[in-house]
Amino acid sequence: MKQGPRRDQFVDIRRAPRVQTPRASRAGSSGVFSVNCGTNEGQAHSNPDNVVAAPGVVNGAHHIHDYVGNLDTDAFSTDETLTAAGTTCTNGDKSAYFWPVLRLRSGQDDSERAGQSKVDGNVGSVVEPSSVKLQFLGNARGKVRAMPQFLRMATGDAKSATNGLTNANALWSCSGFQSRGFTDKYPLCPRGSQVLRVLNFAGCWDGQNTDSANHRTHVSFADKRTGQCPQGTVAIPQLRMTLSYRVPARALAFALDSFPEQGHDPVTDHGDFINVMGQRLMRQAVTAINSGRRR
């Protein structure tokens, strides 16, 4: 088990590099479709499974995930059980949205999973996000088309501390400082500012597959400079999760749950998504995004 986090991984947000975003063209789609699914109040839906990366494996993540949206999500979820389940989303979206929890390291874990979490090296009290913003964005170069139902996606790499940065996609920032962000550092935020985790998912799809062996190659990211989707792919609504937390602006005060060998490295931040929107709701999302509206 790797020890961590390290004191030098906590850095003032004002020292973070600027976040680069492509400039939208006239042909681009600038609308935003938002979904309100709550914050997983009281840890009502959490487990150490990952049905996207490790279906059928109990404790497959070796860290606790927060869930919003679909109420069925665990290691054994199927398209059928997800469709039949309820949801926390106010517009009826049954999609599954999940991410690893953040903890106060000095806190006490009184949950029924505390023993297993301790074995996996994840200790402290889980911090409930003060807000969870789920947004579907457009493409800087063109219109988006509907994503297929049951499309599965992961962003970031939960093992990037050992795998390297190829698939790392963490973005740590602070409210009021969103133009700056770290990939491999925890931000220390000024008084009154909250820690932000921004999880950007792929916005380009191969047009055929809802999943792939590594849960990545059926989707891809647009070019960071131009916003253009790779050849042979089509633009779809790009999911962005923004998680806000009130935590002390002090080194070592908080940390991300992680696999035992990852040492709570901030670069391992990641998220997962399964699209279980109905066709009507997806059409509403596409229309809003392509017409430049916010809803």
Side-chain angles (χ1 to χ4, degrees), residues 71-225:
L71 294 173
D72 175 73
T73 322
D74 62 21
F76 303 102
S77 298
T78 64
D79 293 351
E80 292 74 24
T81 62
L82 291 169
T83 301
T87 180
T88 66
C89 302
T90 57
N91 65 353
D93 178 14
K94 292 188 177 185
S95 298
Y97 304 87
F98 56 105
W99 55 84
V101 299
L102 195 73
R103 295 181 190 254
L104 290 178
R105 301 284 284 171
S106 62
Q108 181 70 33
D109 184 355
D110 296 320
S111 72
E112 62 183 22
R113 300 185 181 90
Q116 182 61 56
S117 290
K118 186 175 182 180
V119 169
D120 291 329
N122 295 305
V123 297
S125 55
V126 172
V127 183
E128 182 181 312
S130 58
S131 69
V132 173
K133 185 184 295 185
L134 305 175
Q135 298 172 301
F136 290 89
L137 312 176
N139 178 272
R141 306 293 294 180
K143 305 301 184 185
V144 300
R145 58 180 278 189
M147 63 172 65
Q149 197 170 40
F150 307 121
L151 179 69
R152 284 159 163 76
M153 284 196 283
T155 188
D157 182 359
K159 297 182 179 180
S160 54
T162 52
N163 285 347
L165 302 182
T166 300
N167 292 313
N169 199 35
L171 179 57
W172 294 86
S173 188
C174 298
S175 56
F177 296 83
Q178 288 95 319
S179 63
R180 295 183 178 274
F182 294 112
T183 296
D184 58 353
K185 299 288 189 292
Y186 289 114
L188 297 177
C189 303
R191 184 183 298 274
S193 176
Q194 297 186 38
V195 167
L196 301 182
R197 296 164 62 188
V198 183
L199 298 170
N200 290 310
F201 286 71
C204 308
W205 173 50
D206 69 6
Q208 296 182 338
N209 301 294
T210 57
D211 201 358
S212 51
N214 63 359
H215 316 295
R216 298 182 188 278
T217 54
H218 62 301
V219 290
S220 52
F221 287 89
D223 185 275
K224 290 183 178 180
R225 184 178 61 84

